[in-house]
Amino acid sequence: MRVENTFLGAEQVGERTEQRLWEQGVTRWEAFDRGCRGIGSTRAECIERYIDRGQQALTAGDVRFFGERFPARERWRLYESFREETCFFDIETTGLSPESSVVTTVTLHRNGETRTLVRGDDLTDEQLVAAFEPADLLVTFNGARFDVPFLESHFDIDLDRPHIDLLSTCRRAGLSGGQDDVEDRLGIERALPDVDGREAVRLWHDHERGVDGALERLIAYNREDTENMVPILEQTVERLDRQLLPDRN
């Protein structure tokens, strides 16, 4: 689904109204007209105004326009239209509390390229800001609760921009559980199936003690977490397309 398929960003349009439009074959902006059943004149004006502004925003690459109008669980609709502006990212820490733990690695994946920043090396305010600067759309797994607030509490960085959190997106598609659970259900395999969050903490402490290979294994795990979000999102978007859009069934 692309943003041109959705009417949810218009005032006075909820999921039921949008579904009613789709069922009438109005699955793209250009198919809308005031003759659609169940759409009064005031609501039609809201939709037409949204389409006009949306076309301008799409031309300008203004992801925020749509991000501000879609509820969190529906922001997956942004991905197909803004792939090049999308940054998948994941962090590793020494614990769950920002007050008592530190960030050890941050991995970002954008346009097929992956980069990992490491504490004590290149994980700095300046490097983080520069790494996130080109990204207008963020993708994480449970990052709204964990990764984003953790980074903002430890570094001088503002990550206030449109964000697809795969935790809520996957639940929207009937895929519950953590990232490993979702990967299992989607058939996404791992090169490091025996490494988890607890092991990642131990690997960092091993690295601090000088254990050979510990940092490399931690980075590989962090990168796998991040890169696996791509097929998770793409498969989940395809599932939701089939569920929602009549012409995709």
Side-chain angles (χ1 to χ4, degrees):
M1 184 183 297
R2 297 180 61 84
V3 295
E4 303 98 309
N5 300 118
T6 186
F7 300 89
L8 196 59
E11 294 180 21
Q12 300 189 23
V13 174
E15 292 180 30
R16 289 184 181 180
T17 299
E18 182 179 64
Q19 192 66 45
R20 190 183 306 131
L21 288 169
W22 286 343
E23 289 170 355
Q24 295 177 58
V26 184
T27 58
R28 292 185 64 84
W29 289 345
E30 60 263 31
F32 178 77
D33 63 54
R34 291 183 172 234
C36 295
R37 296 189 306 275
I39 305 296
S41 59
T42 300
R43 187 171 295 173
E45 289 177 5
C46 291
I47 294 173
E48 289 173 342
R49 186 162 55 248
Y50 166 70
I51 292 173
D52 288 342
R53 295 183 63 189
Q55 288 173 333
Q56 295 173 17
L58 190 59
T59 300
D62 185 0
V63 187
R64 190 176 293 273
F65 170 85
F66 300 100
E68 291 175 346
R69 285 160 178 77
F70 295 170
R73 77 181 198 133
E74 299 297 335
R75 289 183 189 141
W76 58 272
R77 302 172 184 227
L78 298 171
Y79 178 61
E80 291 292 349
S81 297
F82 298 104
R83 280 175 177 259
E84 293 184 0
E85 293 83 1
T86 301
C87 177
F88 299 78
F89 82 94
D90 181 68
I91 72 174
E92 298 301 331
T93 68
T94 57
L96 300 178
S97 171
E99 289 75 26
S100 58
S101 308
V102 298
V103 181
T104 57
T105 61
V106 178
T107 294
L108 306 94
H109 178 84
R110 181 172 175 270
N111 290 336
E113 297 184 358
T114 305
R115 179 185 181 188
T116 301
L117 305 176
V118 179
R119 178 177 175 81
D121 183 7
D122 52 2
L123 182 51
T124 64
D125 292 338
E126 294 77 12
Q127 291 285 355
L128 268 181
V129 170
F132 277 105
E133 193 277 330
D136 294 322
L137 177 62
L138 304 179
V139 180
T140 65
F141 201 106
N142 197 33
R145 295 180 183 176
F146 186 75
D147 303 70
V148 169
F150 222 113
L151 286 182
E152 290 185 332
S153 67
H154 281 261
F155 299 93
D156 185 15
I157 188 170
D158 180 4
L159 295 176
D160 180 20
R161 64 198 73 184
H163 179 186
I164 300 172
D165 192 323
L166 288 173
L167 182 64
S168 59
T169 302
C170 290
R171 287 178 178 173
R172 175 81 167 87
L175 298 166
S176 59
Q179 183 169 341
D180 289 346
D181 300 311
V182 172
E183 289 175 6
D184 287 343
R185 291 188 61 183
L186 295 178
I188 300 171
E189 297 183 354
R190 281 187 169 254
L192 297 171
D194 56 331
V195 181
D196 57 15
R198 290 185 179 181
E199 175 71 1
V201 176
R202 187 189 66 79
L203 287 170
W204 177 256
H205 292 316
D206 283 349
H207 164 64
E208 290 183 311
R209 290 193 295 269
V211 176
D212 288 342
L215 179 60
E216 289 74 15
R217 188 170 175 82
L218 173 61
I219 291 173
Y221 169 69
N222 192 198
R223 292 170 72 93
E224 191 163 43
D225 263 359
T226 306
E227 292 172 353
N228 279 7
M229 291 181 202
V230 179
I232 289 175
L233 179 56
E234 291 179 347
Q235 290 190 46
T236 303
V237 166
E238 180 61 30
R239 279 188 175 219
L240 289 168
D241 278 355
R242 292 197 303 267
Q243 291 174 16
L244 298 175
L245 282 174
D247 61 350
R248 300 294 181 92
N249 294 329

